[in-house]
Amino acid sequence: SMVWAASPGMLFGKSRDRSLYPLNLSWVFGYNSSLAVHSLMDGEDGVVLYVSSHIVVIHDILRNKQFLLQGHSNVISCLCVSENKRWVATADRGPDALIMVWDSYSGVPVHTIFKSHSEDGVCAIAISQDAKYLVTISAATVQKVCVWRWTLPSEKAICSIELKPEFGHQDYVIFNPQNPHEFISNSKTQMIFYLWVRQSQLWDENTAWLLSPQTFKCLVGQFSQSVFHFNNTQALTGTSAGNLVVWDMDNPRTLPEELPPKPHGITATKVVSMQKESLTVLQVLDSCIVTGDVKGEVKFYDGQLRLLIIYSYDKVGPIQSISFSKILRDPPSALSGSSSSWSDSSNSVSLTLNRNFILSTSDATMFHVATDSTNFERIMQEAKKAVNAIACHPQEPFVAVGSRCGLLKVWEYKQTQYLVSRIFTEAGIQCLSYDPEGCFLAAGFTDGSVYILDAISLQSICEKFQFSQGPVTHISFSHDSKYLATADENYSVIVYKRVLQKGSRCWEHLAGLESHYKPIRSILFGVHSDSTEPRLLSLGEDRQLVEYDLKNSIKDHLVVTHRDRLEQAAVPLCLTWYPQLSTESFFLTANNCYKMKLYNTTTKVCRKTLLGPTYGSPLEKIQILPKTSCADPQQHYLVYITKDKVGLQMLPIDGNPHRSSAFICHPDGASDFAISHDGRYVFTAGGKERTFMKWKVNLHSLDAAAFLGGEDLIPFYNLLDGGREGKFFRELEDYFYYVQLCRQGINTLEKRQVSTHVPLEEIPSVMRAIGFYPSEEEIEEMINEVKFSKYEDTGEEVTEINLGDFIKLYINHRPALGLSMTTIQRAFQVLGYDNKKGDKVIDRGDFLSLLQCRGEQMTEDELAECLTTLLCRRPRKEESELDTCDPTGAAALTEEEIPAEITAEIFAADILGLPIAE
């Protein structure tokens, strides 16, 4: 097997083509600086391992290569590496949390534990010295500690125990290197010692120590990390006050046959003041004790806690982890200067201080430290706050990334080379955009300021603009680079214009307008169909599409030409221009109900409603993929991101789910994405994960998936309950032909004319008969969609629809997730009040008034007929069921059948007659 034959260094020995999917992760930028970074190889093979979001990255620093270990669907919360650097164990937090063990030599996952801590996942993990056992601590409120023998094909823990809440939230754990049956964990205030003997027996020795200033008459501080002393009779804990707590244990500590009747003698004997600064890292290396602190200093002590050597560098921030190389170097002879200093001690330390090490800091910087020269080499510096902004150069293979910490970096993405950066200290970067000519890079900031930078040097070409009162959320250039538009959190759109002053081009503020009353989701530049003038649109969560007249706008006066309400109930989330696939021009929107809609660019009339990708959350942003040289010139694709996924969609959109594919990119939330100018790469920004990722596009894979999904109606049949041979489809056929019987007359004796089509006017009746209850506006959109489907090509209206087209219409228009009781309950939360029982109810009179006065208003006659039909279809308690329902009896029927206070459950079950899931 690959694992059996694996050896150190083979991971990067040969190139592997992993382009199996429509989108293939090829590089990860940034990392989780709150987790440890591990040195796997040193010297000529400088390989480090770290975590980025839900990915484990094995990074060959010298050769500039990455190998990505993918398997987690949630952000990885903790990891550990075996003593020989081969086995890597990772765990995550969230739904369906996993524990995975990887072979770092081959990159193969060798063991996966499902449902380990199903509630909240894992917050701490450690691997024993012999690499046979894992210990995990859950992240739940009531924590559970489990020991696993991962080398056996079992997903059950050897033993486990629940911790008492008064022990505090335990967030660090480590095995005794000399005894895999012992381990310790600590919270910020308490330490727990554990001993396990055989299967199902785990004991926390009941030694959860809480040290107060009165214990040793000094400030102890909060606990950070703990270790077992190499003398095997003591344990040490570092604290935020710069102290080491020394714990004494029984000696000798032999493993008993049974758990002892009472705890071993474990006591905190003293607190040793090491320094003033907080200790963040504590390790044991051979015969040395190593500490790292918030000042960035690494100190080595002997077993008696006597200082041996200090490694320091003024550009190192608070240390998060220290990882030592396995390769032994020549010991340092004479070190001087500010980088390190010796204390008088035994020469035996020379056998220990001969390993280079990797430092990682909490401000997302890594250093390689060579012990023979005390050289601190910075090997990586990434964003230390959320990465929200990303943009690709329109002509060159450059990608610009902005962070909330003010760091702006530009990368050459084909060779993955860092090019240039700039740090803005006043505010964080929220959005970025290159102009179409590639000369300018515009940046919007969290303080409302806007910078226009030179695209190469990142130097400002004019003074910053400060016209937004809140963070700038969107920024975009017009096609001719004459206009720049921004949107901010105060629902305002602000336009800047490029003008000629004193013989040179410069930018000035044109005008701004608070054009929405809810958050703005998109701003979009285009070109007028009858000219080359720029066209500007903005779309908000208020469902308003606002179009601006840039040509007639003057200083401090932004002219609006149109305001159109796009949705009735759903909330539009994103907007883009649709490719010219027919004679009619469209723009495309996606809403929070998983629907995508095509609107005529001139009339703003909805021309088509389609089922969009349904991958757990609605589409947040969409862009058309630029054409690649190898792609079919007739085929177009759409790139999108959801809350946590990035995906590809084939065009034209038709509701076929096999024409779309998506992959988890940022489990904690994708904030933005960009596409390379040649359409070969997609870049996603991870927001608070502080990472961004490069995805290689493979269109042939998506084409193959769409082909295998079936042609014509086959994919749509599979979306029906029971499929083509199911009961639902047979009922639909029956309704389809029943409509024809009704049109020809039920009691006629004439010869029947059986057709494969029904008139468009019958669409609402059939839809309601099969359980889809569209609003009047939705009915109008459905009928118009079919009626004008061929108008642009033939100039004629369609008057009837066949069964196949009806199924597509039904699939695309019905609620994507089916009928939801939650929707009705939400309406009662808004419209109702709390009764004496604490239930949300609507008064019967208010209920009837709302139906006649709000939304799609019903007339009194329509309401009477509707309620009579609904309430008469069931037998009355004291009367037989009427053959017909008299509308004039609606008032009396209402009094009898509808209670004075209506709950959501009464409305759904008793009035509408809908089944309610228990």
Side-chain angles (χ1 to χ4, degrees), residues 345-377:
S345 60
S346 171
N347 288 331
S348 64
V349 74
S350 63
L351 297 176
T352 301
L353 303 180
N354 55 1
R355 300 189 191 190
N356 296 342
F357 56 91
I358 296 292
L359 284 184
S360 71
T361 66
S362 58
D363 56 5
T365 307
M366 291 185 205
F367 293 89
H368 177 270
V369 182
T371 55
D372 56 351
S373 63
T374 69
N375 178 40
F376 281 70
E377 178 189 2

Side-chain angles (χ1 to χ4, degrees), residues 94 301 317 548 586:
Y301 299 87
Y548 306 88
F586 302 104

